[in-house]
Amino acid sequence: KYIPINSVGIYVPGSSVSYPSTVLMNAIPAMIAGVKRIVMVNPCKNGKYNPGVLYAAKKCKISEIYAVGGPSAISALTFGTKKIKKVEKIVGPGNLYVAAAKKEVFGQVGLESMTAGPSEVTIVSDKFSNPEWVASDLIAQAEHDVMAQCILISKNREFIQDVKKSIYNQLRSLDRSEIARKSLKSYGALIFVDSEKMIIDLINKIAPEHLELNIKNFKKILNKITNAGSICLGKYAVMAMTDYNVGSNHILPTNSSSRYSSGLSVNEFYKRISLINLSKKGIESLGPSVITLANFEGLEGHAKSVELRIRRK
């Protein structure tokens, strides 16, 4: 039996930039699932809300909105305050501090089955790739956060150098160049490999949030990739498109959590209840094996509760 959770808190980053798309990606699956109460927390910039975020919230019929962010927002949603009633589950990406706060309160409140934030992209390129395009993809992810992780993997040394030069050129005219530059310097990597096996092994070890297979024959390695939040296939399927309108949810597992989890979906907003019904014949058929296992485990009471029901008078 599937039952929607009663209340959910959506965390929308917004200290330096606000994301209307994050509102939609979190709220729409919750709405489809039938969640009754959707609460949005979103830190204001200079005391003002981003109108795009408010419009997205209005389209999703979210009327409960609070101007709070960071670990404080996670704490408020978890335990409640005089103004904010606590929720049953918190979803949505955030920076390192938000992600750490969510881990601390897990158990007191439900969370998505993944680590969401900071952002990541891994790009695989070959000699047929466009270095300017690939450089722009790395920068696009780096501008999210100074702790965003951006990685390029290629078997072509010359291509890697061309990408590096293009990154420097493009950063000169980027509004968020300081953030992107710090991200690339601290958490970026341009990796040369000499075999296809190394590419596959690296991807599955990194287990990136976003993976771009910007190579001519992506089908050759696709089935061997087991760890990734989403995979963009070919030179036109770019990560930036997945953040907005191609249909996939961009609330994806980060910090290698794609090893055991998937992107946000309707399933995150349901709780499942098991229903069990047995006939007299059913318990008589299955009961003896239960009695055997219960006695082996030293749980005499378990065995007795079954024996009483199958004992013939």
Side-chain angles (χ1 to χ4, degrees), residues 5 7-12 26 30 35 37-41 70-80 84-94 98-99 101-116 251 264 268-269:
I5 61 175
S7 58
V8 62
I10 293 175
Y11 187 90
V12 180
N26 280 288
V35 176
R37 175 175 173 245
I38 301 177
V39 183
M40 185 179 84
V41 291
S72 299
I74 302 304
S75 178
L77 290 172
T78 302
F79 303 106
I84 304 175
K85 185 180 177 181
K86 65 180 182 179
V87 300
E88 294 173 344
K89 191 165 191 174
I90 301 173
V91 299
V98 171
K102 289 169 73 175
K103 288 181 179 180
E104 287 295 319
V105 299
F106 177 67
Q108 296 283 343
V109 68
L111 302 175
E112 332 85 321
S113 56
M114 59 175 161
T115 302
I251 312 299
L264 195 73
E268 292 282 359
F269 302 99

Side-chain angles (χ1 to χ4, degrees), residues 211-225:
L211 173 64
E212 291 187 11
L213 296 182
N214 194 324
I215 53 180
K216 189 173 184 180
N217 191 8
F218 57 78
K219 293 181 180 179
K220 189 176 180 181
I221 67 171
L222 179 59
N223 291 336
K224 297 176 184 178
I225 296 169

